[in-house]
Amino acid sequence: MTPTGTRQGQEKPRPGLWARVGDRLIVGGSTVGDEGRDGEIVGLHHADGTPPFDVRWSDTGRVTLVFPGPDARVQHFPPHDAPHDTKAPMRS
């Protein structure tokens, strides 16, 4: 039996900023009205998925090494090898 709140193929929430290759990094804008940037995480430098990340930016297509600041967040996607349950509740 799986613990409450977890489903097969989903990881337990982890504290701090971490990512997998294929996740999306979203960085807030530096001024009011600035939408910020986003890009695909294409490389990791630590096995546990902590920063820095290699990110391919959606606006330029360039890949850069990123040390995310406090205005950054990672949008996680299910692993490609895990079944995707479309009826799973959304996490807030």
Side-chain angles (χ1 to χ4, degrees), residues 1 4 15 20 23 29 34 49 53 59 61 67 74-75 77-78 80 89:
M1 179 174 226
T4 304
R20 291 183 297 253
D23 286 347
D34 183 2
F53 310 128
D59 57 349
F67 291 83
V74 173
Q75 181 180 13
F77 294 101
H80 296 291

Side-chain angles (χ1 to χ4, degrees), residues 79-90:
H80 296 291
D81 58 348
H84 180 64
D85 183 1
T86 58
K87 296 180 184 176
M90 299 282 291

Side-chain angles (χ1 to χ4, degrees), residues 32-92:
V32 175
D34 183 2
E35 294 180 13
R37 298 178 84 184
D38 70 288
E40 179 184 1
I41 297 172
V42 296
L44 301 173
H45 293 262
H46 300 287
D48 64 355
T50 56
F53 310 128
D54 291 328
V55 176
R56 178 179 298 116
W57 296 105
S58 62
D59 57 349
T60 63
R62 292 185 58 201
V63 175
T64 61
L65 177 66
V66 179
F67 291 83
D71 61 339
R73 65 184 177 90
V74 173
Q75 181 180 13
H76 299 284
F77 294 101
H80 296 291
D81 58 348
H84 180 64
D85 183 1
T86 58
K87 296 180 184 176
M90 299 282 291
R91 292 187 201 181
S92 54

